[in-house]
Amino acid sequence: MVDLGLDVSEALRKEWNPGRPFESGGAIESAWLQPLFGAGSTAASSLLAGNVFLATANPATLMTIGTGVGSAVMGPTGIIAHAPFVAASSALLPVMAPVMLFVTVSSMITGARLDRMQRTLGALSEVLERVRHLMEARAYATFQSATKHLDEIQSQFEHSQQFSDGMKAELVQARRDLKRLHFQYGHLASREIRSENDARMAMSDINLFFLSSLTDVRADVLRLHLTLQDDPGFAGRRQEELSRKVQECNDTFKALIDNDPIEGFHKELQQELSNVKFYHLPSTLSMWFGGGLSSRIRDVETIREAFKPIRERIERWTDAFESATGAAFERSLVVYRDRGGDRALHVRHNGDLRLQPKSA
């Protein structure tokens, strides 16, 4: 790493402690040692290899020759003596050897510790990534479990036209899980994106927010049926809440599409790249900054392509909602029970009949 010269190398070997006073901890990255040795390695090599000499008199008393000095010592009456020059290596070796040994060993210890720290941080990063994947998998598992419960409840309700106690308990649990996912990923989907990793996680957050929101609405539809069974007088209130909730979901989805956070981050990177080119940096710096930004932009473009199917699915839902709620598609929903027999529950759509609240 450093050319210390033969004499200094031998001196360092004599001073070396064979007891290994530090633990190397593995390979030392050269990047850690270059800043420590780079500035002084050339000077140290020249100094200790015999290329530098020391004056044995005050340089101010030596004869001036051009831009340097000679060996003649000047007095009031002229040359009074001659001062020899000696090699710096022989003069400074007793002082420099312990110092360079200390610097060398300290640098190696520092490099080894930084190397261990680097490996520890790498292992910690892997653990955190694993935890993130587990949390994401648990969220999707919760969503799939709640969806399966709703499928079973709806199938049984369509068969029996009533809710049993077990169905009610399952519906309560499914709605609780779905609401938790809806609010949790609603907050995550609206956060600011500052990096490629944020963009990658935002894609998953938005998808799960969309799915959990729609399934939560489905659970509320089943709850409306349950209200018609247990408390028909409160069904109107439930219907209003459901309509308001569907409208809020549609507004939120449209806002996500109109203010696409992944697309916004992509535009920010492109603007940053254009600013680098605008200021006309030197070619080496421009290549360094521009190349790094171009690589980041390509990564975000890959994420955009992966997000495209999710975005299209949300757009299809919002378009269908806008069409279904337009004036040309207004329908009345009439829910009633048979007067006799098993008092089966019926639901009818009617475009000619519109129910209005009874006037006071």
Side-chain angles (χ1 to χ4, degrees):
M1 294 180 292
V2 181
D3 180 14
L4 301 177
L6 179 60
D7 294 338
V8 178
S9 297
E10 291 178 352
L12 289 176
R13 290 191 185 97
K14 291 179 181 178
E15 297 289 341
W16 192 265
N17 184 357
R20 296 177 64 85
F22 66 93
E23 179 183 355
S24 67
I28 301 175
E29 295 282 349
S30 61
W32 298 116
L33 299 179
Q34 286 173 355
L36 298 174
F37 285 104
S41 60
T42 303
S45 300
S46 299
L47 179 67
L48 297 173
N51 298 328
V52 179
F53 294 85
L54 297 178
T56 56
N58 184 356
T61 64
L62 296 177
M63 177 185 292
T64 301
I65 303 176
T67 58
V69 295
S71 62
V73 180
M74 304 300 295
T77 60
I79 298 174
I80 59 174
H82 286 277
F85 288 87
V86 297
S89 58
S90 60
L92 296 181
L93 184 58
V95 177
M96 290 292 295
V99 174
M100 293 200 67
L101 174 62
F102 174 78
V103 172
T104 301
V105 175
S106 299
S107 301
M108 295 179 69
I109 293 174
T110 302
R113 288 175 177 173
L114 291 174
D115 184 55
R116 288 199 300 271
M117 185 184 301
Q118 188 179 31
R119 292 199 305 270
T120 301
L121 291 175
L124 178 60
S125 177
E126 293 177 359
V127 171
L128 292 177
E129 185 68 14
R130 174 62 175 169
V131 170
R132 188 181 72 82
H133 283 307
L134 288 175
M135 294 180 66
E136 187 175 291
R138 183 173 63 182
Y140 274 99
T142 301
F143 167 74
Q144 291 172 340
S145 175
T147 302
K148 184 174 180 58
H149 280 301
L150 292 182
D151 290 340
E152 295 173 351
I153 295 169
Q154 184 168 354
S155 177
Q156 188 172 351
F157 174 74
E158 291 175 353
H159 177 266
S160 61
Q161 294 296 309
Q162 62 180 356
F163 287 85
S164 64
D165 291 341
M167 293 167 63
K168 295 177 184 179
E170 290 183 358
L171 181 59
V172 169
Q173 181 62 46
R175 289 186 67 247
R176 181 183 295 116
D177 291 341
L178 290 169
K179 285 190 179 299
R180 184 183 299 114
L181 293 175
H182 166 76
F183 288 116
Q184 175 182 345
Y185 284 91
H187 288 299
L188 293 175
S190 60
R191 66 178 178 172
E192 184 179 359
I193 296 179
R194 299 179 179 274
S195 66
E196 295 87 327
N197 190 48
D198 286 346
R200 194 173 294 106
M201 289 190 294
M203 178 177 61
S204 175
D205 294 340
I206 293 174
N207 185 45
L208 193 50
F209 171 64
F210 173 69
L211 295 176
S212 61
S213 298
L214 292 187
T215 312
D216 186 34
V217 170
R218 181 187 174 193
D220 283 355
V221 172
L222 287 172
R223 187 181 66 162
L224 175 59
H225 288 297
L226 177 59
T227 303
L228 288 169
Q229 171 184 304
D230 291 349
D231 189 6
F234 198 69
R237 175 76 174 273
R238 292 287 191 215
Q239 175 67 32
E240 292 175 0
E241 292 176 354
L242 180 59
S243 298
R244 185 166 53 251
K245 184 173 186 176
V246 173
Q247 183 63 55
E248 290 174 355
C249 286
N250 180 70
D251 294 341
T252 303
F253 296 156
K254 288 184 65 177
L256 276 175
I257 296 301
D258 295 339
N259 305 309
D260 186 342
I262 299 176
E263 182 66 24
F265 180 63
H266 180 256
K267 291 180 179 179
E268 288 179 5
L269 290 180
Q270 288 182 320
Q271 182 63 38
E272 189 174 349
L273 180 60
S274 66
N275 290 340
V276 170
K277 295 179 179 178
F278 176 79
Y279 286 116
H280 303 293
L281 292 175
S283 58
T284 53
L285 290 178
S286 180
M287 183 180 301
W288 190 86
F289 283 104
L293 284 173
S294 298
S295 177
R296 295 180 65 191
I297 290 174
R298 287 194 297 270
D299 290 342
V300 176
E301 288 174 348
T302 301
I303 297 172
R304 287 174 63 209
E305 286 299 315
F307 180 64
K308 188 176 180 179
I310 300 173
R311 179 188 174 96
E312 291 176 348
R313 186 160 57 244
I314 298 175
E315 288 176 335
R316 286 196 300 270
W317 192 90
T318 55
D319 292 342
F321 177 82
E322 295 292 341
S323 300
T325 55
F329 293 89
E330 287 187 357
R331 295 289 187 273
S332 293
L333 182 66
V334 181
V335 182
Y336 63 95
R337 286 186 181 277
D338 289 338
R339 290 184 176 275
D342 58 0
R343 294 183 54 78
L345 185 67
H346 299 278
V347 180
R348 293 289 185 268
H349 289 278
N350 192 308
D352 301 322
L353 177 64
R354 176 174 298 177
L355 299 182
Q356 298 288 350
K358 183 178 179 181
S359 59

